[in-house]
Amino acid sequence: MKSVCILILMVMHLQLTNCWWFWGKPPAPEGTCNSKQFQCANDKCIRSSRQCNNKDDCGDESDEDYTCYVNDMKNTFTHEEAVAELAKEGITHIYSSKNCHDKTRGGCTSLSGIRKNCIAQLIKFKIASGCYITITGGTEVGHSTTGSRRHNNGYKIDIRVTNCVTSYIKSNYR
């Protein structure tokens, strides 16, 4: 089942906002898998150790849903950890008008405190779209401070709008 990420197209940038997964069918009745297994939404049983390992072992992503990150005691990255994770997938351009990543300075683009799920969803978007991704905003000061799922607490990341990004969104999220 294809995961769905809520995308909001902004005038100057794109925000990947609190990307939640939805499935078309409920999980199988409890008890089908043994006590050392995780039961996938598609009824498949996998070893419990394979749940929340950043790999789709179920084939429907139910072993990698948002609860992996909600329940993770350390569900955010440092700036350096996020940059390294993104670089593994070829996302290496982070635009900053002041060429810095200090979360407390305006004009910087910081990923300090970005949620692991936000980074995971950006990587999925990049892979699915095939687009070159430039990050233009993260957890730095200067974004709205209203609501619980804000930039500064790691729920949103901005990317530059390109023809490829726009075309992919229009083709896949109507």
Side-chain angles (χ1 to χ4, degrees), residues 53-101:
N53 65 353
N54 292 319
K55 295 180 183 168
D56 181 15
D57 298 298
C58 287
D60 64 1
E61 298 181 339
S62 59
D63 61 314
E64 299 300 323
D65 73 3
Y66 74 94
T67 59
C68 293
Y69 304 101
V70 171
N71 296 329
D72 184 352
M73 291 303 288
K74 186 180 181 308
N75 64 359
T76 61
F77 285 123
T78 64
H79 180 83
E80 292 74 17
E81 291 169 334
V83 168
E85 194 69 22
L86 291 164
K88 290 177 191 176
E89 297 299 332
I91 303 173
T92 58
H93 192 220
I94 301 173
Y95 173 78
S96 167
S97 63
K98 293 189 177 175
N99 199 25
C100 54
H101 64 267

Side-chain angles (χ1 to χ4, degrees), residues 77-80 82-83 86 94 101 103 109-115 119 135 137-140 156-157:
F77 285 123
T78 64
H79 180 83
E80 292 74 17
V83 168
L86 291 164
I94 301 173
H101 64 267
K103 185 175 182 169
T109 298
S110 175
L111 300 178
S112 179
I114 195 81
R115 301 213 172 250
I119 295 298
I135 296 171
T139 58
E140 68 280 352
K156 297 180 181 180
I157 191 166

Side-chain angles (χ1 to χ4, degrees), residues 151-171:
H151 280 85
N152 69 344
N153 61 7
Y155 283 95
K156 297 180 181 180
I157 191 166
D158 301 342
I159 65 173
R160 179 168 288 139
V161 175
T162 64
N163 289 337
C164 182
V165 167
T166 301
S167 177
Y168 181 79
I169 291 169
K170 286 182 177 181
S171 297

